[in-house]
Amino acid sequence: MSWKSAMEDAKSPRFLEILSTGFQEYDERTKQYIPQYKGWTSELSLPELLEVWDMLKDVETFHFTSAQKAELRKEVEDRQDPVKVAERERVARERADAQRAVGQRLLQQGLVALDGAGTTWEARKAQIEKWWADLKAAEARETWASAYAANRMSARQIGADGRGGEFSIVNKAARRDPTKQVNIVLDRSAKGVLARMDPANFNDPKTGANHKDALGLHDLSASLLDGSKPTVFEQLKGYADAVVVFMPVPSETDAQVFNAISSLEKPNAAVLRGYRNALTRIRLAQGSDMHTIFVDDGAGPPAPVRARYGVTGRVQRAKGAAEIIADEVDIEGRRNNALQHNVILGAGATQSVNEIVMVYRRHASPVFPCFTRWDDAAKRFNVIEDGDPTKPTGAYITNAGAWHDA
């Protein structure tokens, strides 16, 4: 059952503490980050559910009715029924096994597409080098039309309200422990996107240092556009006065090949690092808003910070279903979806706007990244130079998805 009604009558700080996930999410209405709560009883552990039941069993108000109390009592009973417990555990195992099988299938598809034989980098060195050369040659030929028609165009809105600069993040595994919180820097500006195009920021040619953390060049949120839809603007979030950056992503085959070569034994670390620093790609993908934030996915201080976006949040697993807290199987699903991005479009789109987590890196086409500004009067995206609204190039993209040169 939903907690939305019961929370109206919550007087106990302990009640809200139990319902809190320890994370935050962005409220589109207030433009602020607010605490994220477990919205459904199914998201509570059994001890938490029993404690909440003890708090509410004698409560009956306009918001928390006798019928809802009976529903809660029934769930408490069901959660302790050995037969139903065993059935839930079986379903959970099968769901996890199915997602692992998807990951294995995608890995094998990548190895087949790469061609060659052997489990080591050296054994497939010739195929790897050819794949990379072909990929970069295809990037150099990329146009708006080719990427949009192939459902490979991402769109990121750079507004004034998002979190950026220096701020504190919680540790994913110990989110309620203030000693585990750390500060990170995030550059979410247009200049920050351009900085991600420079491989030297991730591998200093003089020292070999990775300046990603110092410069705040972490992964960023975006949406994947569906080229079969009649308009572009309606596929974006409703951020006012945002600069929209369009960037192609690799084909599903290329994404799977890159995943495959990253899994080979005895990799050429220097070459693989170079590829990673020069390949824009999708890290995670979901057919609905992720409601996620940056967290430290490492061990916490004094260990190095592992700032990650997209490994928390919510998921809507089917159209019309409730949004629930994403578990580790859902997170693995986001990783797999990134290698087969079309699954979040069409029938796989559970909401009107999906969310992907982008690794922005150098693209071989001079067109991209393509910065634009929505012109509401003309109903088009005016292309601008380096994200500066005062410098229109004269080129534009219609809301129907057609490119027009200056």
Side-chain angles (χ1 to χ4, degrees):
M1 64 175 288
S2 171
W3 285 117
K4 290 181 180 178
S5 57
M7 286 179 67
E8 296 291 334
D9 293 310
K11 306 299 181 184
S12 167
R14 175 59 183 158
F15 183 80
L16 293 180
E17 181 183 354
I18 293 173
L19 267 55
S20 172
T21 66
F23 297 125
Q24 294 178 313
E25 57 184 293
Y26 188 67
D27 188 319
E28 298 283 358
R29 183 179 56 82
T30 64
K31 308 298 182 186
Q32 293 180 333
Y33 283 86
I34 60 173
Q36 183 187 74
Y37 291 101
K38 302 165 189 172
W40 301 86
T41 50
S42 60
E43 296 169 345
L44 299 178
S45 66
L46 178 58
E48 289 173 336
L49 182 64
L50 292 173
E51 188 173 350
V52 167
W53 169 245
D54 192 56
M55 293 179 184
L56 294 178
K57 62 184 180 182
D58 297 322
V59 173
E60 189 172 314
T61 69
F62 173 79
H63 295 294
F64 189 60
T65 65
S66 58
Q68 290 169 314
K69 186 192 298 187
E71 184 181 355
L72 180 58
R73 181 187 299 110
K74 179 68 164 56
E75 179 153 359
V76 170
E77 294 170 354
D78 289 348
R79 292 281 289 274
Q80 298 177 93
D81 184 318
V83 175
K84 293 181 178 179
V85 168
E87 174 62 13
R88 283 192 295 272
E89 291 175 346
R90 180 191 66 79
V91 170
R93 283 195 304 272
E94 291 181 354
R95 184 169 155 262
D97 290 344
Q99 198 60 254
R100 279 193 292 271
V102 171
Q104 286 300 311
R105 172 178 60 80
L106 294 171
L107 176 60
Q108 290 305 311
Q109 287 178 188
L111 290 170
V112 170
L114 175 62
D115 205 4
T119 60
T120 67
W121 182 285
E122 186 62 30
R124 301 201 189 213
K125 181 174 181 289
Q127 288 81 13
I128 292 170
E129 291 175 349
K130 181 180 184 304
W131 166 77
W132 182 254
D134 289 347
L135 181 147
K136 282 299 173 179
E139 278 191 0
R141 299 189 300 268
E142 191 79 274
T143 65
W144 162 272
S146 64
Y148 185 64
N151 295 340
R152 291 190 296 102
M153 187 62 71
S154 70
R156 170 169 171 77
Q157 294 159 273
I158 305 173
D161 299 321
R163 177 180 286 184
E166 184 175 353
F167 54 91
S168 175
I169 61 173
V170 299
N171 184 273
K172 183 184 177 185
R175 53 192 180 273
R176 301 182 194 279
D177 185 349
T179 67
K180 297 284 188 178
Q181 293 183 10
V182 294
N183 282 1
I184 67 165
V185 174
L186 175 64
D187 190 340
R188 55 183 300 280
S189 67
K191 289 183 178 180
V193 172
L194 291 172
R196 289 168 171 84
M197 301 299 111
D198 185 356
N201 286 328
F202 305 96
N203 185 0
D204 191 304
K206 294 181 180 179
T207 67
N210 186 345
H211 301 303
K212 181 182 75 172
D213 291 340
L215 297 176
L217 306 181
H218 304 291
D219 297 349
L220 295 170
S221 172
S223 299
L224 183 66
L225 301 182
D226 186 337
S228 69
K229 288 192 172 183
T231 60
V232 176
F233 185 77
E234 285 67 27
Q235 298 186 58
L236 306 179
K237 294 183 178 181
Y239 297 151
D241 299 323
V243 168
V244 182
V245 55
F246 294 110
M247 188 74 160
V249 300
S251 68
E252 291 184 341
T253 298
D254 283 329
Q256 291 165 21
V257 169
F258 183 66
N259 175 60
I261 68 170
S262 299
S263 72
L264 291 174
E265 298 170 10
K266 300 177 182 178
N268 186 320
V271 174
L272 182 56
R273 183 180 183 184
Y275 289 176
R276 286 173 174 161
N277 295 341
L279 179 62
T280 288
R281 58 198 183 273
I282 303 174
R283 175 97 64 195
L284 305 166
Q286 182 170 287
S288 61
D289 194 317
M290 294 183 188
H291 298 285
T292 189
I293 57 171
F294 276 96
V295 295
D296 179 9
D297 198 21
V305 177
R306 285 170 44 89
R308 296 291 183 269
Y309 185 85
V311 296
T312 65
R314 299 183 186 276
V315 61
Q316 186 175 343
R317 293 175 182 163
K319 287 183 179 179
E323 282 188 315
I324 58 175
I325 302 298
D327 61 20
E328 289 306 311
V329 179
D330 293 310
I331 304 304
E332 187 62 24
R334 291 174 182 176
R335 296 189 184 99
N336 287 335
N337 290 347
L339 305 178
Q340 49 176 1
H341 58 250
N342 279 290
V343 300
I344 71 169
L345 304 177
T350 58
Q351 294 178 0
S352 59
V353 180
N354 59 60
E355 185 168 8
I356 59 177
V357 177
M358 286 285 290
V359 183
Y360 284 98
R361 296 294 186 268
R362 175 175 289 177
H363 196 279
S365 168
V367 178
F368 301 105
C370 176
F371 296 94
T372 69
R373 191 70 175 271
W374 173 249
D375 183 336
D376 195 52
K379 303 299 179 186
R380 68 189 195 186
F381 297 89
N382 292 324
V383 179
I384 56 179
E385 183 180 336
D386 293 342
D388 187 344
T390 67
K391 296 180 180 180
T393 67
Y396 64 92
I397 302 162
T398 70
N399 197 25
W403 176 280
H404 290 262
D405 289 323

